[in-house]
């Protein structure tokens, strides 16, 4: 019935509970091996797994170099995808399965884990109602991203520009239908429509040191067949696209430098880069304490993992220049 | 991690199971009384409840007159919506809770209830892979619709143009962010981009008989405060927008007239109108037999319920002219 009365409902709590079980379920899926890799990596490196997330709320159009492979379950026919290759874009509905607040969300009363208002990176920490944002931290942790349809190869859909974390459980794929989905005249508030150079996430310049460039090349080569990219240049473009925005969380960006001033240079060493307002993770109050545990190897202040390569970089807080310092392949078996 | 490897996964089966439980849960929510109304109505009227669904896959922009009220659970703060009124549009993620195949979906093996390919109304029954369509009949029955943000009033969000069935459990609301969500240059296959006058769903003309006009007015007046419309003219506009497309399912549209020719005029009397390729219901093979049970009161061949008013109409199969014949308020307590 059109003219409907709806309710934002108990549905969320139930789905959240299901997603918790689902999360365990996905752990045993072969295609999600990288999630296990990451967990193992985390144990070795003391919370370095936080480096694996990338802020993504505005990335579908900003990081076209991103690549993803989406695979149907083996018992499903490839015919489910038939005709999808005729569209240029599709929607991916997925679960924010690595949210730090996910456990809280379903272990406590419904909604107890998700405050009504959250800090918004573009407002430099100013707060907005959850439903006025694309934050992954919401009562029902379902993500929605547009991606390019690059190819359908049997059970596999190859996507471009998808701002989705590795191993995310995918719920649905829908074709992008321009006359239904594209509303170019749609209005958003000024803080959303802000020009890139005026907003707090802009980066002055991006440099990759010669040493890091060589390490990136070696690390990417070690990935071999596991890389989602056909050549090093494509992979390097991804790094440039991702790091040309400030991908740290609001708390990391604002609070860590302040403490560094009080506590001396050591406090600057954090392995929490990229974990903040990430697509699937946001630094919670208190957690950034842990993140400030110094990186004893002095490899860099912030880290991000892209296509299985861990990249360390500095952000100069005044000029907002970024320097990529080191790179290495994430250890696997 | 960008450049992610994903899997369209076991998630679906688990979410489907949760949605089944959720469906029962929503039954006891006060805001969903209309769903119960509909069920009661169904018992009285022998499957007339099928009339309550409206084909919607291309309606968000085609039926701007549609109205919906979305209410937060009472224990949730209105602050969840804060800032949402600054956007012109938002996404609604909801459950296709009235799909006829929902029971099958979670009672049998995952995906057993959802064929890999489905009949597409715009292809006049031609088949496409489920993930190349916006069909509500998919492994994970989650709907995605864009709607106008008309107002935020405390716990209530007032929406325009939402092609969502009454009582749908809503999972999430996300703001429409033009620079992320609008891809005007996105390409869709010819059968999707087909001009309205060339496709099988076009309607020749729409007429409302003088008797039906009077009945519509009376029925809408009886709805009183329960109507989602501020005046009769707004409600009448909705009827025109909805009926200016053929909202019957492929099977109803193609097969019923064929049988009518064989079986005489009585077979034309069907109370299943609007149920077919509806947003939340599609005629399954075999089910249309039941739908062809004649309407003994001879009120009209097809029915649709809009804003609590049941409307009967004829479709002249050659000219594709539509005539609205009768209207009445859906009985409630």
């Amino acid at each position: 019935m059109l003219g409907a009365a709806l309710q934002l409902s108990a549905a969320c709590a139930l789905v959240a509970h299901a997603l918790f079980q689902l999360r365990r379920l996905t752990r045993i899926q072969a295609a999600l091996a990288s999630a296990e890799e990451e967990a193992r990596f985390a144990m070795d490196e003391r919370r370095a797994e936080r480096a694996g997330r990338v802020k993504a709320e505005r990335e579908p159009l900003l990081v076209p170099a991103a690549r993803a492979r989406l695979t149907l379950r083996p018992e499903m026919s490839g015919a489910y995808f038939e005709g999808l290759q005729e569209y240029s874009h599709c929607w991916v509905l997925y679960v924010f399965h690595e949210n730090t607040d996910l456990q809280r969300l379903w272990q406590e009363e419904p909604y107890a884990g998700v405050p009504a208002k959250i800090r918004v990176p573009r407002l430099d920490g100013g707060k907005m109602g959850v439903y006025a944002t694309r934050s992954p931290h919401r009562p029902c942790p379902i993500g929605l991203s547009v991606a390019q349809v690059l190819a359908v190869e049997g059970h596999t859909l190859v996507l471009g520009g998808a701002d989705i974390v590795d191993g995310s459980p995918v719920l649905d794929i829908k074709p992008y239908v321009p006359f239904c989905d594209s509303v170019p005249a749609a209005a958003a508030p000024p803080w959303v429509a802000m020009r890139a150079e005026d907003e707090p996430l802009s980066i002055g310049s991006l440099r990759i040191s010669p040493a890091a460039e060589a390490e990136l090349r070696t690390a990417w080569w070690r990935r071999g067949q596991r890389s989602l990219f056909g050549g090093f240049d494509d992979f390097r473009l991804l790094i440039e696209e991702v790091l040309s925005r400030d991908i740290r969380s609001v708390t990391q960006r604002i609070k860590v430098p302040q403490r560094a001033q009080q506590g001396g240079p050591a406090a600057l060493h954090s392995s929490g880069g990229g974990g903040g307002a990430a697509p699937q993770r946001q630094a919670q109050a208190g957690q950034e304490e842990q993140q400030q545990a110094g990186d004893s190897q002095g490899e860099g202040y912030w880290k991000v993992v892209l296509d299985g390569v861990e990249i360390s970089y500095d952000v100069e807080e005044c000029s907002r220049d970024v320097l990529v310092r080191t790179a290495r392949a994430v250890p696997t078996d």
Side-chain angles (χ1 to χ4, degrees), chain A:
Chain A
M1 185 186 317
L2 286 165
L6 314 167
Q7 191 186 44
L8 195 59
S9 68
C12 299
L14 236 122
V15 169
H17 180 69
L19 295 182
F20 175 55
Q21 299 187 284
L22 157 171
R23 194 186 175 198
R24 284 179 291 185
L25 224 163
T26 55
R27 284 267 164 93
I28 56 165
Q29 294 295 322
L32 298 166
S34 53
E36 287 177 282
E37 270 173 33
E38 206 162 45
R40 207 161 40 240
F41 180 53
M43 283 186 288
D44 294 346
E45 304 290 318
R46 266 167 292 142
R47 304 199 61 80
E49 95 282 16
R50 295 187 60 81
R53 283 93 213 180
V54 175
K55 175 186 178 58
E57 87 201 76
R58 297 150 324 116
E59 283 177 1
L61 299 181
L62 293 174
V63 188
R67 290 290 172 274
R69 274 197 288 263
L70 195 150
T71 314
L72 288 174
R73 289 167 59 114
E75 66 268 32
M76 289 179 82
S77 152
Y80 279 96
F81 281 149
E82 209 170 299
L84 188 58
Q85 70 283 356
E86 293 182 58
Y87 296 84
S88 65
H89 292 74
C90 69
W91 293 107
V92 186
L93 279 78
Y94 56 100
V95 181
F96 292 122
H97 71 302
E98 293 195 348
N99 277 8
T100 49
D101 51 13
L102 229 53
Q103 294 279 347
R104 262 202 300 168
L105 182 60
W106 38 62
Q107 280 174 2
E108 299 178 18
E109 285 298 298
Y111 316 112
V114 181
K117 298 176 74 174
I118 51 120
R119 293 194 184 282
V120 179
R122 285 198 147 212
L123 283 174
D124 221 8
K127 286 189 170 183
M128 274 290 153
V130 168
Y131 291 127
T133 78
R134 296 292 279 254
S135 164
H137 302 280
R138 44 204 319 118
C140 191
I142 292 184
L144 172 69
S145 293
V146 71
Q148 258 188 295
V149 176
L150 295 179
V152 173
E153 298 163 354
H155 277 62
T156 300
L157 171 64
V158 186
L159 297 171
D163 61 335
I164 301 170
V165 166
D166 188 39
S168 296
V170 174
L171 300 173
D172 199 6
I173 300 290
K174 294 180 195 284
Y176 190 99
V177 179
F179 73 77
C180 279
D181 298 329
S182 178
V183 189
W191 64 270
V192 172
M194 212 184 282
R195 286 180 309 159
E197 56 272 29
D198 293 338
E199 46 122 321
L201 306 178
S202 63
I203 286 297
S205 73
L206 171 68
R207 272 196 315 128
I208 300 179
S209 76
E213 177 90 26
E215 287 175 357
L216 277 174
R217 215 172 266 277
T218 307
W220 183 80
W221 181 85
R222 287 183 60 187
R223 291 284 294 164
Q225 292 295 318
R226 285 170 300 145
S227 172
L228 288 161
F229 294 87
F232 176 73
D233 289 346
D234 293 341
F235 170 60
R236 197 184 184 287
L237 182 61
L238 174 73
I239 299 166
E240 288 174 9
E241 286 177 357
V242 169
L243 292 182
S244 66
R245 321 291 294 173
D246 196 335
I247 58 175
R248 298 170 301 166
S249 74
V250 172
T251 44
Q252 290 171 336
R253 185 154 43 85
I254 298 174
K255 293 183 181 169
V256 173
Q258 285 171 358
R259 295 196 187 166
Q261 285 175 349
Q262 292 161 14
L268 251 180
H269 291 265
S270 162
S271 60
Q280 309 211 354
R281 179 159 285 196
Q282 184 159 24
Q284 302 296 319
Q287 287 187 345
E288 86 224 34
E289 304 291 342
Q290 293 172 13
Q291 291 174 35
Q292 288 185 68
D295 177 344
S296 57
Q297 297 162 61
E299 286 177 354
Y301 301 120
W302 305 100
K303 290 182 183 174
V304 65
V305 177
L306 295 174
D307 197 37
V309 176
E310 185 195 81
I311 298 159
S312 305
Y313 63 97
D314 294 342
V315 181
E316 207 289 302
E317 296 299 336
C318 297
S319 63
R320 308 191 58 69
D321 293 334
V322 164
L323 174 64
V324 175
R325 293 170 47 142
T326 68
R328 61 169 187 163
V330 171
T332 57
D333 286 332

